[in-house]
C-alpha cells in the first residue's frame, strides 16, 4: 500500500475498533513517509480512543509529543505562528457538532 497523497484528512474513522486500528496504521505509515494527517472527531465516538491509543503504541508520541485531542479552533489555522499549514504534520482535533458553524 503506497502512500500517494501529501495530505490526509480523516473524519470520524471509528466505526469499529478494527477500523480505528487500521486508520492508526495508515496514519503512522503516512507520517513516516513525511505526509500530513489531520483527524477530526467528535468526543462521543467510542472508538476514537482506540485510534489514539494505537498511535501512542506506535511511538508517535515520542516524535510528535502530546497525542491528546485538541478542541477545534480557527486559531489552529490562522495563528501568526503558522506561516505554513504544512508545518502541522499531525492534528487530532475534537469537534463539537453543536458548536460547528455551517454558515
Amino acid at each position: 500500500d503506497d502512500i500517494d497523497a501529501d495530505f490526509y484528512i480523516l473524519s470520524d474513522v471509528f466505526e469499529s475498533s478494527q477500523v480505528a486500528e487500521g486508520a492508526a496504521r495508515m496514519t503512522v505509515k503516512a507520517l513516516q513517509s513525511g505526509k500530513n494527517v489531520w483527524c477530526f472527531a467528535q468526543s462521543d465516538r467510542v472508538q476514537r480512543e482506540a485510534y489514539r491509543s494505537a498511535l501512542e503504541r506506535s511511538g508517535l508520541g515520542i516524535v510528535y509529543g502530546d497525542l491528546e485531542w485538541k478542541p477545534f479552533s480557527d486559531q489552529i489555522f490562522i495563528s501568526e505562528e503558522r506561516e505554513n499549514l504544512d508545518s502541522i504534520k499531525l492534528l487530532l482535533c475534537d469537534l463539537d457538532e453543536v458548536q460547528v458553524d455551517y454558515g
Side-chain angles (χ1 to χ4, degrees):
D1 296 334
D2 290 334
I3 300 293
D4 294 331
D6 292 329
F7 195 95
Y8 291 84
I9 296 178
L10 308 176
S11 177
D12 287 332
V13 291
F14 314 109
E15 183 68 28
S16 68
S17 61
Q18 293 86 0
V19 173
E21 293 276 339
R25 282 192 301 276
M26 291 303 296
T27 297
V28 170
K29 187 173 182 179
L31 291 168
Q32 289 172 340
S33 299
K35 311 306 181 183
N36 297 45
V37 180
W38 293 4
C39 185
F40 297 85
Q42 298 173 47
S43 60
D44 64 349
R45 299 300 190 237
V46 176
Q47 299 300 332
R48 86 174 193 167
E49 286 308 309
Y51 172 77
R52 190 189 61 77
S53 293
L55 294 179
E56 283 184 341
R57 287 192 307 276
S58 75
L60 283 184
I62 295 167
V63 177
Y64 296 96
D66 181 16
L67 293 178
E68 296 300 319
W69 296 96
K70 307 269 189 303
F72 178 80
S73 166
D74 290 343
Q75 294 304 311
I76 292 171
F77 305 105
I78 62 173
S79 169
E80 292 177 15
E81 299 173 6
R82 300 283 186 205
E83 293 179 8
N84 185 352
L85 290 178
D86 189 50
S87 66
I88 305 173
K89 291 296 182 187
L90 176 63
L91 176 65
L92 302 180
C93 193
D94 181 32
L95 290 181
D96 181 348
E97 68 181 10
V98 176
Q99 301 295 323
V100 174
D101 178 10
Y102 294 101

